[in-house]
Amino acid sequence: AAQAADAALIGGDVAASPHGLVLDVTVVGEAPQPVLRSGARPGDELWVSGALGGAAAAVHAWTAGAEPPPAARKAFARPRPRTREAQWLAARGVLHAMLDLSDGLAGDAGHLAAASGVRIILFPDAIPVHPAVPDVLGGTEGALRLALGGGEDYELCFTAPPGVVAPLAHEFETEFGTPLTRVGRVVEGAGLAIRSPDGATEPLDTAGFSHFRGEGP
């Protein structure tokens, strides 16, 4: 994983524990011009890379005592950090705010909205669900909820001004082999909402992973 990201593993802490092994990991890097999660503006579009829910599908299968399909297992065991993809987008000057999806789209879009002081509205029909999700669930029912709240996808979630990302999407997919999908918009206000089939919006009741709760949705 470090080699894929051009990172070096140079050591770490050594500690003693009477029971088992403790691993403590620290990552040090430099970002001369970081793209923060606090830059989203009303009018922005919300985009994600890749497909969501694959890792959560694997966990769902294991929790049910089943073996996940290979695609779900790979999504969980070998996630790909989108560092080069993020740099590619940043170099084109289209980003206002960005973070990666470690706690699920619902949780992390909420973090982005809170940091930026805006409201984000998600478009449920547009959210790219990993193909392994309905395979594990035995159908599409519940697939969106798993994609929204599962976590550990590590795809990019970012905002950009209207109309600037769409012309780059084909080039991005050709370069990196993964799509970009517009999944929402940024408006004035606070919090996270989802667009209903009739076009109205309602607060989103699906939470992402919570480290304090200790479990997903």
Side-chain angles (χ1 to χ4, degrees):
Q3 185 179 36
D6 292 333
L9 182 62
I10 60 173
D13 300 331
V14 176
S17 171
H19 302 290
L21 175 67
V22 176
L23 299 179
D24 187 306
V25 179
T26 301
V27 178
V28 178
E30 181 180 358
Q33 294 180 306
V35 180
L36 306 178
R37 61 178 65 183
S38 56
R41 308 169 190 173
D44 278 359
E45 298 171 344
L46 182 76
W47 291 76
V48 297
S49 64
L52 310 182
V59 173
H60 183 89
W62 282 318
T63 303
E67 181 65 21
R73 184 183 184 94
K74 181 179 179 181
F76 177 85
R78 297 187 67 86
R80 178 177 174 176
R82 301 293 186 184
T83 50
R84 291 185 178 88
E85 291 87 337
Q87 291 169 347
W88 189 94
L89 290 165
R92 281 149 181 80
V94 300
L95 300 173
H96 280 170
M98 182 169 61
L99 75 176
D100 73 338
L101 295 175
S102 58
D103 294 340
L105 178 58
D108 286 317
H111 299 327
L112 194 153
S116 297
V118 296
R119 182 174 179 83
I120 290 178
I121 300 173
L122 297 177
F123 306 155
D125 294 342
I127 293 170
V129 177
H130 193 287
V133 173
D135 289 346
V136 168
L137 297 179
T140 58
E141 185 176 356
L144 177 62
R145 188 174 185 88
L146 206 60
L148 282 170
E152 297 195 330
D153 291 309
Y154 301 108
E155 295 290 349
L156 299 176
C157 177
F158 61 93
T159 75
V164 302
V165 176
L168 301 173
H170 178 73
E171 184 182 356
F172 181 94
E173 186 168 0
T174 300
E175 178 74 19
F176 299 108
T178 193
L180 292 175
T181 306
R182 183 190 174 200
V183 297
R185 62 188 175 96
V186 181
V187 299
E188 293 184 356
L192 191 64
I194 194 162
R195 187 172 63 184
S196 60
D198 62 3
T201 59
E202 55 189 39
L204 185 61
D205 63 0
T206 298
F209 180 84
S210 168
H211 296 277
F212 301 102
R213 190 173 67 243
E215 59 184 10

